[in-house]
Amino acid sequence: NRNAAYDVALNYCGEVDCDIKVWEVDQCAALAVGENGVFGWGLDNFSDMAMDRAMFECSSRAANCSLIAYTCN
């Protein structure tokens, strides 16, 4: 269930200030991070589109963005 997944994700993080930013169901999600901890995320039915969106969102606010994770559910 969603609550259990939320708890597992926060426990996996291991930090005190973790937060869930994206919840995806039957989609792909991607996360890109740039300088100074700026991030961007993307959701789409296709992994390449989710990754493109994450990079666009990050790059519009920071330099040197890199895609660090993606998943499809």
Side-chain angles (χ1 to χ4, degrees), residues 29-49:
L31 175 65
V33 176
E35 292 180 351
N36 300 317
V38 172
F39 66 91
W41 56 270
L43 291 174
D44 201 277
N45 291 329
F46 302 99
S47 60
D48 57 340
M49 297 299 289

Side-chain angles (χ1 to χ4, degrees), residues 5-73:
Y6 190 90
D7 290 341
V8 168
L10 290 178
N11 287 332
Y12 181 77
C13 173
E15 301 292 330
V16 295
D17 61 347
C18 296
D19 191 20
I20 305 297
K21 299 293 186 191
V22 177
W23 187 266
E24 48 96 8
V25 176
D26 297 329
Q27 290 187 8
C28 297
L31 175 65
V33 176
E35 292 180 351
N36 300 317
V38 172
F39 66 91
W41 56 270
L43 291 174
D44 201 277
N45 291 329
F46 302 99
S47 60
D48 57 340
M49 297 299 289
M51 290 185 273
D52 287 349
R53 183 66 181 178
M55 287 297 292
F56 174 80
E57 292 294 328
C58 181
S59 297
S60 69
R61 297 186 307 273
N64 299 319
C65 292
S66 297
L67 186 70
I68 64 165
Y70 79 93
T71 184
C72 294
N73 182 348

